[in-house]
Amino acid sequence: MLIELKDICYTYKPGTPYETSAIQDISFNVEEGEFIGIIGHTGCGKSTLVQHLNGLLIPSKGEMQLDGIRYFTQQKPNKDLRKKVGMVFQYPEDQLFEETIFDDVAFAPKNFNLGDGLVEEQVRNALEDVGLSYEKYKDRSPFSISGGQMRKVAIAGVLAAQPKILVLDEPTAGLDPKGREEILSRIDLLREKRNITIILVSHSMDDIAAHADRVLVMNQGKIVIDDVPRKVFKEYKQLYDMGLDIPSVTKLMLKLKNKGFDVDTEIFTIEEAAQEILKIKGGASHV
Amino acid sequence: MFRDITIGQYLPGESFIHRLDPRTKILSVLFFMVGIFGLKHLYSYLFVLALTLTVILVARIPLGYLLKGLKPIFIILIFTVGLHLFLTPGQILVEIGPLSITLEGIMKASFMALRLIFLVLFASLLTLTTAPMSLTDGLEKLLAPFAKVGLPAHELAMMMSIALRFIPTLIDETDKIMKAQKARGADFESGNIWQRAKSMIPILVPLFVSAFRRADELAMAMEARCYRGSEGRTRMKQLVYRKTDLIVTLGMGSAMVAAFFFL
């Protein structure tokens, strides 16, 4: 077991009139190499939850075991934990500050004392892994490139510390469909290449359905469903009640079913949907 | 740590103080500021304390919340008190090496501390009970006579309202950037003063970048809605100066004149 969270609770501004309980009794496990999607309504506590994973927030109750070390009760969160768990915040391009892209990506490896020779190698790998050419970009200013590229540089800035676990909070917010898909497929590649564990917080059911192995659905500070995407999206009525959506292809299949077509509604990718539609049309499948 | 700042925040309410005309409140704060500098005895502050407490009670502002707003001035307070305590010549009470505490020093230090505390408390009461929009409307109206001699009254008021509006936004932004840099291993808590100052760069640069971007976007949004300064601008909500406002203004003014000369 790579991560084990036990009864994590977090309260904002305890002891003031503005006291709000953000998450309550959150427990779940993550295996090494898993791709976990966390979905939930705005304000359901997703961002609060993931900020515990690298110790940016200390829970008011509960403990976490990560890579064999027990945090919060026995060990205080430290730099070591931050190095292991890379965190890509919403709109991560807001964190860029250096004069050159090289320096910015090198910020994390330098802080974690990786050693000068290694730093350069890490920066090169990180930039190539997000799809930017090292030679072409290293000396440019991070403020002179496009928004999509800034996002990639910011993600590289987290990857350069070589995290074992990568947490991404809405990494595709505000990007066009092409940009979204590019970032997500890069994340899939990374997982294969570096064998890192991915935790993806997202609003987009399409993204989660296409990429995650397991989905945690949060509602009002609690995890209400923890299962594989197939089973989660089967509960579409419950999801609708929580103000959540289901993947667009699944919606299409449900509509077809309502019109009287005999289709399988447990379909989450465009390819599967194409196959299924061709099947009921009776035509040969040449997809 | 930045979330504790209450200066410039507004707590909506329906109290008598909330409903006063902003001009009344601004003038009252001005009178208060002048009056408090005329106080000659420590016991005169009892009068100031009573006045402040009355306003707090009438406005139904949680005392704890108000006192929290004093936190940011704590360092200035310590600094001023320290300077006055040690550097005022007079009858020496205690000597610590080259430093000496005098009776006059203690008096002066307590005067300064009380002045600062009450000034900040009273000024926060103004912003806590007045919506930013009506605050700037009031300020603009008060400055209007000076517009004839070339003072950009409307522009000043607008700048102030924008500044107030962006305080919470910038606080949230700072919090977020700090977390992002901490996640990349940045350390803001250790090292000497020089190292700590240097460690602020990763926060300040993104903060400035986003502040300029926000300013640009705001200017664009205002222009898109045909904002072109004060000329020909009308208001949906007109300020009304009532009888009670006149009474409060006169009352506050005379109380402070009395305090200035007699207390």
Side-chain angles (χ1 to χ4, degrees):
Chain A
M1 203 98 59
L2 185 62
I3 311 174
E4 189 182 350
L5 261 73
K6 224 189 265 165
D7 304 325
I8 298 276
C9 297
Y10 188 83
T11 308
Y12 279 103
K13 304 195 173 193
T16 70
Y18 302 95
E19 183 176 306
T20 34
S21 162
I23 51 174
Q24 305 111 35
D25 301 312
I26 299 270
S27 304
F28 65 93
N29 300 330
V30 181
E31 299 291 343
E32 192 154 355
E34 261 190 304
F35 192 136
I36 297 201
I38 302 183
I39 55 176
H41 209 255
T42 312
C44 73
K46 298 172 297 210
S47 301
T48 308
L49 170 63
V50 293
Q51 283 177 39
H52 286 84
L53 296 172
N54 71 347
L56 280 176
L57 292 180
I58 311 284
S60 9
K61 207 189 109 218
E63 71 163 8
M64 168 173 82
Q65 188 160 325
L66 194 141
D67 207 16
I69 303 171
R70 289 169 76 174
Y71 289 98
F72 305 135
T73 47
Q74 290 188 350
Q75 170 84 47
K76 274 190 178 171
N78 48 20
K79 260 192 171 181
D80 220 36
L81 176 65
R82 301 232 164 104
K83 187 185 171 306
K84 268 182 209 160
V85 185
M87 177 85 72
V88 177
F89 280 85
Q90 284 180 36
Y91 298 97
E93 56 273 24
D94 289 350
Q95 74 194 29
L96 301 173
F97 71 99
E98 278 286 6
E99 279 173 54
T100 67
I101 289 177
F102 178 91
D103 286 333
D104 208 285
V105 178
F107 183 65
K110 274 183 187 156
N111 283 330
F112 294 123
N113 307 319
L114 278 186
D116 280 342
L118 269 172
V119 168
E120 202 190 320
E121 196 189 314
Q122 290 314 332
V123 173
R124 180 187 292 270
N125 286 342
L127 280 173
E128 304 282 347
D129 279 348
V130 294
L132 295 174
S133 147
Y134 175 75
E135 297 301 334
K136 197 172 149 200
Y137 284 98
K138 69 178 166 77
D139 295 320
R140 292 180 64 175
S141 157
F143 299 105
S144 70
I145 54 180
S146 75
Q149 287 169 328
M150 279 167 89
R151 174 97 33 120
K152 287 183 186 170
V153 169
I155 296 176
V158 175
L159 280 176
Q162 284 208 296
K164 278 185 89 152
I165 300 150
L166 184 64
V167 181
L168 302 116
D169 194 350
E170 306 258 4
T172 56
L175 293 181
D176 55 38
K178 200 175 149 233
R180 297 175 83 94
E181 200 37 51
E182 204 193 332
I183 297 258
L184 288 167
S185 57
R186 288 280 168 197
I187 293 168
D188 278 340
L189 274 175
L190 263 171
R191 182 187 171 207
E192 266 171 49
K193 199 175 136 195
R194 299 193 179 193
N195 190 32
I196 52 181
T197 309
I198 309 281
I199 296 176
L200 173 72
V201 176
S202 178
H203 269 119
S204 158
M205 301 300 143
D206 294 321
D207 293 352
I208 297 269
H211 298 275
D213 311 324
R214 203 174 118 205
V215 181
L216 306 180
V217 181
M218 287 187 71
N219 193 30
Q220 296 180 344
K222 289 191 172 128
I223 293 180
V224 283
I225 313 178
D226 174 354
D227 218 324
V228 292
R230 198 160 290 277
K231 293 229 174 104
V232 171
F233 293 124
K234 237 169 107 177
E235 306 297 325
Y236 59 91
K237 284 203 183 90
Q238 199 184 342
L239 292 177
Y240 279 147
D241 281 346
M242 288 187 277
L244 295 172
D245 215 346
I246 53 171
S248 336
V249 277
T250 318
K251 243 191 261 178
L252 174 72
M253 298 318 267
L254 279 169
K255 270 188 186 159
L256 284 173
K257 181 121 186 169
N258 280 342
K259 291 257 176 200
F261 294 101
D262 181 28
V263 289
D264 184 5
T265 52
E266 286 177 39
I267 276 172
F268 312 104
T269 63
I270 294 170
E271 290 75 24
E272 284 177 333
Q275 291 283 356
E276 186 69 18
I277 292 170
L278 283 172
K279 210 163 74 192
I280 58 151
K281 267 188 76 187
S285 138
H286 18 237
V287 183
Chain B
M1 66 172 173
F2 291 108
R3 288 176 185 273
D4 295 333
I5 296 176
T6 55
I7 292 176
Q9 298 284 51
Y10 169 57
L11 279 187
E14 276 297 315
S15 73
F16 175 72
I17 307 279
H18 281 84
R19 278 182 283 119
L20 280 177
D21 189 279
R23 285 168 288 183
T24 310
K25 290 188 259 186
I26 296 170
L27 283 175
S28 299
V29 170
L30 268 177
F31 292 147
F32 185 87
M33 285 178 172
V34 177
I36 205 169
F37 276 96
L39 297 182
K40 289 166 211 73
H41 308 288
L42 271 181
Y43 62 77
S44 318
Y45 280 94
L46 283 176
F47 167 71
V48 176
L49 178 72
L51 184 75
T52 314
L53 281 179
T54 317
V55 177
I56 294 171
L57 278 177
V58 175
R60 290 193 214 103
I61 300 287
L63 193 63
Y65 190 75
L66 190 66
L67 290 178
K68 252 189 169 176
L70 286 176
K71 254 193 201 164
I73 64 153
F74 196 66
I75 294 174
I76 308 175
L77 207 60
I78 296 282
F79 194 69
T80 338
V81 167
L83 280 183
H84 279 96
L85 207 55
F86 293 115
L87 298 178
T88 314
Q91 186 190 340
I92 291 167
L93 291 181
V94 194
E95 263 186 293
I96 318 161
L99 297 170
S100 56
I101 297 177
T102 62
L103 190 64
E104 285 79 356
I106 292 180
M107 290 294 285
K108 255 195 165 173
S110 12
F111 264 112
M112 282 317 286
L114 284 170
R115 255 179 216 165
L116 263 175
I117 290 171
F118 279 110
L119 277 182
V120 172
L121 281 184
F122 217 74
S124 344
L125 278 175
L126 170 67
T127 54
L128 281 170
T129 59
T130 318
M133 277 319 280
S134 62
L135 191 65
T136 41
D137 277 1
L139 198 72
E140 194 182 334
K141 275 269 161 69
L142 282 175
L143 291 177
F146 302 102
K148 294 206 175 67
V149 291
L151 186 87
H154 171 80
E155 281 72 14
L156 282 177
M158 181 57 90
M159 275 170 6
M160 201 185 86
S161 70
I162 292 173
L164 283 176
R165 152 72 184 76
F166 275 98
I167 290 174
T169 312
L170 288 178
I171 290 171
D172 283 348
E173 189 93 18
T174 314
D175 200 52
K176 191 199 138 188
I177 295 169
M178 265 181 101
K179 275 185 177 161
Q181 307 300 23
K182 266 191 194 165
R184 291 206 283 165
D187 188 355
F188 305 117
E189 271 108 39
S190 60
N192 58 35
I193 289 184
W194 173 241
Q195 281 165 328
R196 279 194 201 199
K198 252 179 88 177
S199 75
M200 296 310 278
I201 294 174
I203 301 174
L204 290 178
V205 174
L207 199 59
F208 272 99
V209 170
S210 84
F212 278 112
R213 197 192 54 227
R214 273 179 207 283
D216 210 38
E217 281 167 3
L218 182 69
M220 203 100 88
M222 285 167 82
E223 270 191 358
R225 286 180 282 172
C226 302
Y227 176 78
R228 36 177 58 231
S230 60
E231 220 172 297
R233 198 171 162 80
T234 54
R235 282 202 165 67
M236 189 170 85
K237 281 188 188 162
Q238 298 284 345
L239 292 181
V240 197
Y241 203 76
R242 291 192 190 79
K243 222 183 214 166
T244 36
D245 287 303
L246 189 69
I247 295 169
V248 171
T249 315
L250 288 178
M252 192 67 192
S254 35
M256 281 305 157
V257 168
F260 193 91
F261 288 109
F262 304 115
L263 280 174

